[in-house]
Amino acid sequence: RMKAGAELTYIPISWLGLGGRYDLVDVNLNDSSSNFSVFSPRIIIRSNFVTHEQILFQYSRYFYGSNAAVASFPYNGGASAYPYNVAGQAVAADKNAFTMAAIIWF
């Protein structure tokens, strides 16, 4: 198994930042079809107040290999986990995710 990632942030003006992250997860080094990767661009809105507020808007796009195990667990017979199951039927995991977060530090 191997996981590698890189992150880059650029702050062109004091209140705005642009960034991105790329992760590659190699679950089985002998089988590249079980790999998946994630690309996540982000916008950061910042303040210069005492509490250094930040609001982050991030989109993540997942790229799954043809044999990637998504939300599947061996202890439940390989069935997909909540919320990717509907009345016991396995449903494919979503490839798109949007995140909004707020951060304050002193």
Side-chain angles (χ1 to χ4, degrees), residues 11-72:
I11 303 172
I13 50 181
S14 65
W15 57 271
L16 178 68
L18 303 171
R21 179 169 179 88
Y22 179 79
D23 289 290
L24 172 65
V25 179
D26 194 344
V27 179
N28 182 349
L29 294 172
N30 297 322
D31 180 14
S32 63
S33 66
S34 64
N35 299 351
F36 70 92
S37 59
V38 186
F39 175 65
S40 303
R42 126 180 4 127
I43 297 172
I44 306 164
I45 300 173
R46 320 170 352 136
S47 78
N48 288 327
F49 298 124
V50 175
T51 54
H52 303 283
E53 296 90 0
Q54 288 187 351
I55 299 174
L56 305 161
F57 299 96
Q58 177 174 296
Y59 167 76
S60 295
R61 172 69 173 158
Y62 290 78
F63 301 94
Y64 299 109
S66 60
N67 291 328
V70 180
S72 177

Side-chain angles (χ1 to χ4, degrees), residues 78-99:
S80 295
Y82 177 84
Y84 302 114
N85 61 356
V86 178
Q89 300 294 319
V91 177
D94 196 351
K95 293 182 179 183
N96 303 292
F98 181 76
T99 305

